[in-house]
Amino acid sequence: MKKRLSALLCAALAVSTIVGAMPAMAESSSEQVLNVYKNNEPATLDRVASTIDEAGKFILYDASEPLFRIVDGQTVEAGCESYTYDEETMTYTFTLRDNQWEDGVAVTAADYLYSFQRMVDPNTAYGYVSDLYCIENAEAINAGEMDVSELGVTAPDDKTLVVKLNEVTPAFLQVVPMYPQRQDFVESCGDGYGTDADKFLSCGPFKVTTWEHNSYIDMVKNENYWDAENVQLEEVHVALTNDSNTLYTSMLNGTLDHMQTSKTEYVEEFEGNDDLVITETVTPTLAFIVFNCEDEVMSNVKVRQAFSAAMNRELFTEVLYSGLAVPAYGLLSSANNINGVSFRDEVEEPLTAFIEALEDPKALLIEGLTELGMDPDPANLEVTLSMGSTTAASENQMAVFQQCFQETLGVTVVPDQTEWATFWTDCKAGDFQMGYLAWSGEVDISFLFNLFLSDSAQMPCFYYTEEYDEIVNQANSCTDDAERFALYAEAEKMVIVDNCQILPVYYNVTNDVLRSKVKGWDYNVFSTAGHKNVYIEE
């Protein structure tokens, strides 16, 4: 299967504009008002836009109603009340609920159909369109060879949506975003759709009422929502800030109800507060260095392997995160699973055995440089490590990287730290040697493997193989869990060791700090439940 699971690409510890103080929060007391935050301004609330980011999805979980949601780790019906799947024809038939847009107009199958068509339309430039290539004619439409009306998605009536696949896709319900969009409203907004409160139409548990850019977003309960009687919150106030000190102070003084942090000093202070509940979670986010395999030096796999083996991951996580991060020797963290079974419980991280068997990373580097016909003395080698952040935290990260590679390999690492936009533009253009990134995905285990498919064009390693494509495509369409584990294990070893396209550094660990009066919170890292089931209990 040729697809890429929607994932969130970000620079590790990259930050947006820091504000000096938390925007005014809503009065909560005993009212059903929740005060939360996001680290950055949403780029858009248009789910099919190439610029959709984590902050935008965060709002959509509350303000829109996909066909399915991930709740407490389970895929449950949301916009649809039931569905059937015909194995012989590979066809899904969804029956919709009686839901309404915030203006009282009924949500129909045509609204979901329109969203599917926008995703495959080449004029939309949806970033993860390969996710939909499992649908009949999707790839040909996106290539401009067919009209969007020929997509294997139809709406025979207002309450029925039919999706015909062209290949077996076990994770279809988890992989493909199925959010409705009303054509008349989207077209009336033009290019501005999803960029402001009055340019977005809600059909979820809450509706967006105010969007003060770079400050806050307010949502209130949507009385036209199909399950409004079971939504207890009356308002969700989302502050837009990444000032950790302001967030920390707001948690202590009671004006913020939830915070995520990896700072040890914050956690220690919060642990002494009886009003707060702390939950530690390993996330599916991997921080890593990607190699530009078309670069003269990094084109040699032995050179890449030497750098990967030289990285002291334990030093990095202990010095920078006081142990609140897990050293990574593979592609997937323990959070990634197949039907509830952790990938890491079944598959050993491939880099561990490679490093244990390697006597001297420096000798491997010299061997690689010799094969390239270059000066074999590492002391004469300069390599550039790029980052999309200029913060003090990222400078500390750079210093540890320099220390690891200098001490073990004897090379000189030249830092190149710029703002994220510049860095990512350079990465996509191949104008770098090594780049520091982090990537996080969604519920299906394929989310990171698909980044390295030759038709993905998402991971800037510039190295792809037919063998890898065959293994991952086979795994993506496999219905036997044991076989999927084995195939993905083989693919992971190719990315991390055999081809060494990236250097894994750590798996992110986060601490959710939640006010004890907040109930119904979904801690699952893949949750798309939003705040529908949350309520305040004094």
Side-chain angles (χ1 to χ4, degrees):
M1 185 178 82
K2 298 178 180 178
K3 64 178 184 179
R4 212 209 50 83
L5 179 69
S6 299
L8 172 65
L9 180 63
C10 60
L13 298 185
V15 297
S16 57
T17 303
I18 293 179
V19 298
M22 180 75 79
M25 305 299 279
E27 293 294 333
S28 57
S29 63
S30 61
E31 296 178 354
Q32 293 297 319
V33 177
L34 183 72
N35 291 306
V36 290
Y37 77 101
K38 285 312 292 179
N39 282 324
N40 61 283
E41 165 96 352
T44 182
L45 302 184
D46 182 357
R47 186 59 184 84
V48 311
S50 61
T51 52
I52 187 72
D53 55 11
E54 183 191 3
K57 294 176 185 178
F58 180 86
I59 302 299
L60 282 176
Y61 297 153
D62 281 341
S64 191
E65 187 72 343
L67 288 180
F68 295 87
R69 292 180 183 268
I70 307 298
V71 182
D72 292 328
Q74 302 297 315
T75 302
V76 300
E77 289 87 347
C80 78
E81 63 179 15
S82 64
Y83 71 98
T84 61
Y85 177 65
D86 186 322
E87 293 185 0
E88 184 175 344
T89 62
M90 294 183 291
T91 300
Y92 282 95
T93 300
F94 304 99
T95 300
L96 271 57
R97 299 188 189 275
D98 293 326
N99 195 20
Q100 293 181 337
W101 295 97
E102 64 178 274
D103 60 3
V105 175
V107 176
T108 69
D111 299 326
Y112 289 94
L113 170 60
Y114 177 63
S115 180
F116 272 101
Q117 291 178 338
R118 287 193 70 217
M119 282 190 282
V120 300
D121 189 336
N123 295 316
T124 305
Y126 176 53
Y128 307 118
V129 66
S130 59
D131 288 357
L132 284 83
Y133 286 173
C134 58
I135 300 175
E136 187 177 64
N137 297 333
E139 187 169 9
I141 293 169
N142 189 246
E145 299 168 0
M146 300 178 74
D147 187 78
V148 293
S149 62
E150 299 180 83
L151 181 66
V153 182
T154 57
D157 59 60
D158 285 350
K159 288 295 187 287
T160 307
L161 184 74
V162 180
V163 179
K164 190 177 188 315
L165 307 184
N166 54 38
E167 57 188 355
V168 177
T169 311
F172 176 76
L173 300 184
Q174 294 81 29
V175 168
V176 177
M178 294 183 265
Y179 288 78
Q181 295 183 335
R182 210 171 79 196
Q183 184 172 0
D184 64 329
F185 184 84
V186 173
E187 292 180 350
S188 71
C189 294
D191 293 339
Y193 173 67
T195 61
D196 221 326
D198 63 353
K199 291 182 174 59
F200 180 78
L201 202 60
S202 301
C203 66
F206 305 92
K207 54 186 177 183
V208 179
T209 55
T210 307
W211 186 348
E212 291 291 338
H213 291 280
N214 297 305
S215 184
Y216 68 90
I217 291 176
D218 271 345
M219 293 181 283
V220 299
K221 181 177 177 178
N222 181 9
E223 297 297 341
N224 286 324
Y225 179 58
W226 70 269
D227 198 26
E229 64 179 358
N230 291 315
V231 178
Q232 297 189 49
L233 289 176
E234 294 293 337
E235 181 179 347
V236 178
H237 183 90
V238 186
L240 304 175
T241 177
N242 63 1
D243 187 339
S244 60
N245 290 327
T246 297
L247 294 170
Y248 164 74
T249 301
S250 299
M251 283 302 301
L252 289 179
N253 66 25
T255 57
L256 187 66
D257 294 321
H258 173 257
M259 177 183 180
Q260 286 188 330
T261 183
S262 296
K263 289 193 175 184
T264 307
E265 62 271 26
Y266 288 179
V267 174
E268 291 175 348
E269 181 69 24
F270 292 147
E271 285 176 340
N273 191 324
D274 293 337
D275 185 42
L276 302 176
V277 178
I278 304 173
T279 303
E280 184 177 293
T281 305
V282 177
T283 77
T285 299
L286 173 71
F288 60 95
I289 290 175
V290 59
F291 297 107
N292 179 357
C293 298
E294 290 185 342
D295 174 77
E296 180 183 8
V297 176
M298 296 303 162
S299 64
N300 185 277
V301 67
K302 292 179 180 177
V303 172
R304 302 195 298 269
Q305 290 172 336
F307 274 87
S308 188
M311 181 63 208
N312 189 332
R313 294 157 176 85
E314 285 71 21
L315 174 68
F316 191 93
T317 56
E318 186 58 40
V319 169
L320 298 176
Y321 299 100
S322 301
L324 289 178
V326 178
Y329 293 87
L331 189 63
L332 305 184
S333 79
S334 59
N336 301 102
N337 66 84
I338 296 178
N339 290 328
V341 179
S342 172
F343 185 76
R344 290 277 68 101
D345 287 343
E346 298 294 314
V347 179
E348 182 180 358
E349 292 177 286
L351 196 56
T352 302
F354 177 81
I355 292 177
E356 289 177 351
L358 184 64
E359 295 183 2
D360 184 7
K362 186 174 183 178
L364 184 63
L365 173 63
I366 292 172
E367 187 176 339
L369 292 174
T370 300
E371 289 180 358
L372 289 169
M374 300 179 65
D375 185 341
D377 186 356
N380 296 326
L381 178 64
E382 285 191 357
V383 295
T384 300
L385 176 58
S386 302
M387 285 187 186
S389 176
T390 58
T391 65
S394 63
E395 290 178 358
N396 292 335
Q397 291 174 327
M398 181 66 76
V400 176
F401 282 132
Q402 290 175 300
Q403 177 183 341
C404 290
F405 298 139
Q406 172 64 37
E407 290 183 354
T408 304
L409 301 178
V411 302
T412 298
V413 176
V414 179
D416 174 30
Q417 294 183 248
T418 60
E419 295 302 321
W420 166 255
T422 300
F423 165 72
W424 186 235
T425 298
D426 290 343
C427 282
K428 298 293 282 186
D431 188 16
F432 76 105
Q433 280 189 300
M434 302 191 298
Y436 185 44
L437 296 170
W439 212 297
S440 185
E442 298 178 18
V443 65
D444 186 66
I445 200 168
S446 63
F447 80 104
L448 276 179
F449 292 107
N450 291 337
L451 294 175
F452 299 90
L453 291 173
S454 58
D455 65 353
S456 168
Q458 296 295 322
M459 182 63 65
C461 56
F462 303 103
Y463 184 92
Y464 310 99
T465 66
E466 291 184 4
E467 181 184 5
Y468 178 84
D469 284 1
E470 291 175 0
I471 292 172
V472 172
N473 288 330
Q474 183 181 349
N476 287 347
S477 61
C478 180
T479 57
D480 180 83
D481 289 356
E483 186 177 352
R484 287 191 89 196
F485 274 121
L487 289 167
Y488 284 134
E490 188 176 355
E492 182 182 41
K493 184 173 180 291
M494 293 177 71
V495 169
I496 300 299
V497 178
D498 300 340
N499 301 334
C500 197
Q501 291 147 283
I502 67 169
L503 182 168
V505 180
Y506 71 90
Y507 307 119
N508 185 55
V509 175
T510 186
N511 284 277
D512 281 278
V513 185
L514 186 68
R515 204 157 300 285
S516 58
K517 68 178 181 180
V518 180
K519 309 298 182 182
W521 195 270
D522 191 347
Y523 287 102
N524 186 276
V525 293
F526 300 113
S527 176
T528 61
H531 303 105
K532 173 182 175 178
N533 301 318
V534 174
Y535 62 97
I536 308 298
E537 182 178 87
E538 293 290 350

